[in-house]
């Protein structure tokens, strides 16, 4: 491997792109989950549904809330990783080509 600096830059750029895509997917998943939660909550407000179905919907609402929290946690970690990668790239760029 001739130029380690270039290799590290390319590797970091690749990871940045992958992380950006994961963040985008996570953001979209959060939107979908939020929409599902709205639907389930609206469903719960209906007066003419049987009680046993209402109970199932309550469990569904709780499951969706849990999924939203998990996705928010994942999203936060991905965004933190993205920032780390951006700073890492800046540090790598501070080195001269032959320093690494």
């Amino acid at each position: 491997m001739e130029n380690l600096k270039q290799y590290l830059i390319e590797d970091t750029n690749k990871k940045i792109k992958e992380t950006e895509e994961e963040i985008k997917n996570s953001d979209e998943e959060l939107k979908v989950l939020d929409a599902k939660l709205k639907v389930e909550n609206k469903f719960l407000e209906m007066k003419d549904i049987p009680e046993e179905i209402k109970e199932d919907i309550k469990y569904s609402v709780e499951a969706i809330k849990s999924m939203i929290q998990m996705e928010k946690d994942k999203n936060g970690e991905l965004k933190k990783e993205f920032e780390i990668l951006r700073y890492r790239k800046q540090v790598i760029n501070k080195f001269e080509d032959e320093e690494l």
Side-chain angles (χ1 to χ4, degrees):
M1 206 174 296
E2 289 287 320
N3 190 338
L4 289 175
K5 178 182 175 182
Q6 188 60 37
Y7 172 80
L8 292 173
I9 289 171
E10 289 171 6
D11 185 56
T12 303
N13 284 337
K14 178 182 167 193
K15 289 177 182 174
I16 286 172
K17 286 180 184 178
E18 290 170 356
T19 305
E20 282 177 319
E21 187 65 29
E22 286 184 65
I23 290 170
K24 178 183 164 200
N25 292 340
S26 179
D27 288 342
E28 289 174 5
E29 181 65 19
L30 281 169
K31 287 178 187 175
V32 170
L33 289 171
D34 283 336
K36 285 181 178 182
L37 183 60
K38 286 178 184 177
V39 169
E40 294 299 293
N41 280 328
K42 193 67 146 176
F43 197 8
L44 267 179
E45 293 173 8
M46 294 176 64
K47 305 275 187 239
D48 58 344
I49 58 173
E51 196 58 39
E52 62 270 6
I53 292 177
K54 245 185 187 173
E55 280 301 310
D56 288 344
I57 295 169
K58 285 179 186 176
Y59 290 120
S60 177
V61 166
E62 290 306 311
I64 293 170
K65 285 180 180 178
S66 177
M67 291 166 57
I68 288 171
Q69 187 57 53
M70 289 171 40
E71 195 63 37
K72 282 181 178 179
D73 292 346
K74 175 184 170 185
N75 193 284
E77 289 297 316
L78 287 168
K79 288 177 179 176
K80 187 172 17 173
E81 177 65 21
F82 178 76
E83 287 301 310
I84 290 169
L85 289 167
R86 283 185 51 232
Y87 284 115
R88 182 172 291 135
K89 184 178 173 184
Q90 290 174 7
V91 170
I92 293 168
N93 281 323
K94 289 183 181 188
F95 283 93
E96 297 295 324
D97 285 344
E98 302 305 318
E99 259 188 295
L100 293 173

